[in-house]
């Protein structure tokens, strides 16, 4: 990993979770965010995607291989390093950029890495890590979102190939990804938990097309698409892992996805608090800065406490994950709590910006729109609460 800056030992000493190496990574990602994302990302919001050269630079800096083995170009760090990456990208104030990178690193390519065989990994992982191959994961369908088992996309084995038919929706990186990890059933009538398999589908495969490019409320610099598979023939060796193991793989990989989304949400929330603190300390009303109003000061103080609590929840879940412990309850708490909290923070931060916060030119306006999906995607709050309820 290309880490140039010096860590702050005082920061590492204040946390049981983060080492100096994590703090070096944090400094490096933060520098990239300040220099390359914040000054440049407004046009990407207009364009609807993050330029490929930016993703290549992130790959070049090692951000896409944090957890992956050195043999493919990775840095072999742990789940807490991913938390650092997600939190710092979340702090960029451009969550669409953050999610473009994080879907690639922690939601899509993990399917290839966790279930792929040596040949598949040798072929694709170096490109995944250096940013020349961008990945997407296609699970959701028009009639199957929270209820993953309801998917209808089918993969029929024909000789040395599988033929895919069906459609997917809301797929992040769907427009521009080079490689898509696609969930499909081998048998629509069989038990869903043993019928789903994951397949690698390359961009440009005949029968695989991008349907509509979707126009969104937020995350506007992240491309999102419908994907269509019509007699899409892929080589049998593009099966990831074993037939029928896909549902288990999806549920397993969701755990990492939810830790990452929680960390990203807390980064977004912290950035909103930081810029609102700056604003209320300079904006005057009734002869004094807004900060002098106890009602505002105390609301921001309480939100700061809640965000710190959310961060600790994320770190604890990530730490359990590094120890190989089943942390489904804690991870579901992370997703439910952080997904709701980031929206609470954005609501109040926009409120304290007054009319300025309602204007499209303000960062808080964009951040409020971006945050909304944190309570929906990757496990809606209500679904997460059911997972917690089963375990308490
Ligand atoms: C911007 C964006 C990007 C996305 N990226 C991807 C991607 O890259 N790949 C991918 O596969 N998917 C992706 N998704 C899909 C996302 O994970 C789903 O939208 C999510 O799982 C919810 O599914 P749904 O939209 O079908 O809502 P539904 O399942 O129809 O649920 C609608 C609402 O009903 C409620 N609900 C659902 N189930 C329950 C329950 N059991 N109890 C109580 N209430 C319930 C919740 O409030 C939920 O939000 C993305 C979605 C968005 C919006």
């Amino acid at each position: 990993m290309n880490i140039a800056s010096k860590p702050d030992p005082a920061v590492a000493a204040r946390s049981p979770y983060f080492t100096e190496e994590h703090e070096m990574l944090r400094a490096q990602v933060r520098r990239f965010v300040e220099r390359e994302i914040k000054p440049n990302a407004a046009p990407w919001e207009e364009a609807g995607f993050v330029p490929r050269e930016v993703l290549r630079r992130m790959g070049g800096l090692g951000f896409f291989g944090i957890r992956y083995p050195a043999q493919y170009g990775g840095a072999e760090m742990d789940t807490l390093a991913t938390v650092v990456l997600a939190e710092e990208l979340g702090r960029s104030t451009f969550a669409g950029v953050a999610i473009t990178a994080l879907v690639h690193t922690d939601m899509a390519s993990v399917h290839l890495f966790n279930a792929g065989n040596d040949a598949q990994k040798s072929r694709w992982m170096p490109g995944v890590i250096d940013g020349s191959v961008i990945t997407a994961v296609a699970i959701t369908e028009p009639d199957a979102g929270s209820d993953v088992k309801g998917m209808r996309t089918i993969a029929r084995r024909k000789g040395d190939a599988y033929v895919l038919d069906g459609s997917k929706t809301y797929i992040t990186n769907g427009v521009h990804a080079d490689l898509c990890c696609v969930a499909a059933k081998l048998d629509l009538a069989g038990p869903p938990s043993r019928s789903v398999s994951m397949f690698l589908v390359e961009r440009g495969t005949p029968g695989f097309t991008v349907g509509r490019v979707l126009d969104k409320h937020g995350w506007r610099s992240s491309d999102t698409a419908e994907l269509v598979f019509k007699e899409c023939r892929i080589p049998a060796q593009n099966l990831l892992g074993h037939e029928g193991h896909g549902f288990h793989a999806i549920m397993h990989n969701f755990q990492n996805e939810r830790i990452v989304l929680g960390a990203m949400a807390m980064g977004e929330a912290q950035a909103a608090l930081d810029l609102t603190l700056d604003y209320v300390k300079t904006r005057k009303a009734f002869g004094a800065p807004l900060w002098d109003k106890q009602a505002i000061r105390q609301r921001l103080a309480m939100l700061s406490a809640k965000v710190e609590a959310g961060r600790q929840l994320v770190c604890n879940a990530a730490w359990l994950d590094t120890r190989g412990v089943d942390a489904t309850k804690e991870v579901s708490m992370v997703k439910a709590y952080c997904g709701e909290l980031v929206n609470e923070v954005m609501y109040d931060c926009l409120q304290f910006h007054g009319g300025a916060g309602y204007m499209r030119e303000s960062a808080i306006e964009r951040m409020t729109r971006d945050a909304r999906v944190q309570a929906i995607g990757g496990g809606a709050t209500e679904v997460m609460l059911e997972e917690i309820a089963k375990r308490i």
Side-chain angles (χ1 to χ4, degrees):
M1 170 150 302
N2 179 10
I3 295 171
S5 71
K6 286 220 155 53
D8 178 353
V11 176
R14 284 173 62 87
S15 164
Y17 299 112
F18 297 118
T19 62
E20 285 197 27
E21 202 187 3
H22 291 125
E23 294 308 329
M24 286 165 77
L25 172 66
R26 186 186 300 286
Q28 197 197 16
V29 180
R30 195 171 287 188
R31 201 166 50 245
F32 182 84
V33 163
E34 291 299 328
R35 290 185 190 162
E36 308 244 7
I37 299 181
K38 283 188 178 177
N40 301 320
W44 310 342
E45 290 277 299
E46 296 299 318
F49 64 97
V50 180
R52 183 55 71 97
E53 58 271 21
V54 176
L55 300 176
R56 285 297 293 260
R57 276 205 292 283
M58 293 174 92
L61 287 166
F63 298 166
F64 293 168
I66 286 177
R67 300 260 290 282
Y68 292 138
Q71 76 178 107
Y72 303 122
E76 304 195 355
M77 292 177 80
D78 61 7
T79 320
L80 285 152
T82 310
V83 166
V84 168
L85 176 73
E87 208 181 350
E88 292 303 321
L89 290 177
R91 286 176 74 122
S92 70
T93 79
F94 287 93
V97 180
I99 199 65
T100 301
L102 295 171
V103 162
H104 170 62
T105 55
D106 281 278
M107 302 170 206
S109 65
V110 287
H111 281 276
L112 165 63
F113 181 69
N114 289 338
N117 57 36
D118 287 347
Q120 290 166 332
K121 289 197 269 195
S122 303
R123 175 162 178 216
W124 294 109
M125 288 306 295
V128 163
I129 292 171
D130 73 20
S132 57
V133 173
I134 295 299
T135 54
V137 57
I139 298 167
T140 306
E141 300 186 0
D143 292 319
S146 306
D147 183 9
V148 170
K149 288 180 179 167
M151 72 175 67
R152 307 286 302 165
T153 296
I154 187 152
R156 293 185 183 85
R157 179 80 195 232
K158 289 195 178 159
D160 59 357
Y162 290 97
V163 179
L164 269 58
D165 280 284
S167 63
K168 300 287 175 180
T169 194
Y170 311 143
I171 306 307
T172 302
N173 298 347
V175 185
H176 295 289
D178 307 285
L179 188 65
C180 199
C181 303
V182 181
K185 279 181 180 165
L186 298 165
D187 171 13
L188 295 182
S193 59
R194 279 183 275 132
S195 320
V196 177
S197 301
M198 295 295 298
F199 300 91
L200 289 171
V201 183
E202 284 181 66
R203 176 194 179 89
T205 304
F208 170 35
T209 50
V210 173
R212 280 189 311 149
V213 177
L214 299 168
D215 191 11
K216 304 190 298 300
H217 178 58
W219 280 5
R220 295 190 65 85
S221 47
S222 152
D223 61 282
T224 310
E226 287 177 353
L227 304 181
V228 180
F229 302 90
K230 237 184 198 158
E231 290 193 42
C232 173
R233 196 178 178 87
I234 55 169
Q237 65 259 30
N238 283 21
L239 171 73
L240 278 173
H242 300 287
E243 282 193 349
H245 287 201
F247 183 75
H248 176 77
I250 291 167
M251 292 302 132
H252 175 78
N253 291 331
F254 270 163
Q255 299 306 306
N256 185 61
E257 171 168 340
R258 289 167 184 162
I259 292 172
V260 167
L261 287 170
M264 179 182 151
M266 291 305 88
E268 294 172 71
Q270 188 59 55
L273 286 172
D274 291 347
L275 61 90
T276 304
L277 285 169
D278 282 348
Y279 187 79
V280 299
K281 285 178 180 175
T282 52
R283 173 76 181 170
K284 289 199 172 101
F286 302 98
L290 293 173
W291 179 248
D292 286 4
K293 324 288 175 211
Q294 193 181 46
I296 290 183
R297 222 167 42 217
Q298 292 204 351
R299 278 259 281 285
L300 290 171
M302 182 53 97
L303 289 173
S304 296
K306 288 186 179 180
V307 170
E308 190 52 42
R311 283 192 78 208
Q312 298 297 328
L313 212 54
V314 169
C315 290
N316 181 56
W319 177 77
L320 289 171
D321 188 67
T322 62
R323 299 175 72 86
V325 174
D326 172 32
T328 309
K329 182 179 78 177
E330 290 80 0
V331 169
S332 306
M333 287 177 171
V334 161
K335 184 65 183 57
Y337 184 77
C338 298
E340 293 297 316
L341 177 59
V342 68
N343 281 286
E344 183 186 343
V345 169
M346 294 304 169
Y347 184 93
D348 281 354
C349 287
L350 191 151
Q351 180 72 12
F352 297 153
H353 276 76
Y358 197 64
M359 297 299 128
R360 291 298 288 260
E361 65 198 25
S362 73
I364 197 69
E365 186 271 344
R366 175 183 65 248
M367 293 165 77
T368 304
R369 281 185 288 105
D370 285 346
R372 189 63 187 87
V373 71
Q374 288 276 11
I376 300 170
T381 301
E382 294 78 5
V383 176
M384 293 298 92
L385 293 177
E386 289 301 301
E387 292 302 316
I388 299 166
K390 280 183 216 161
R391 293 171 174 81
I392 54 175

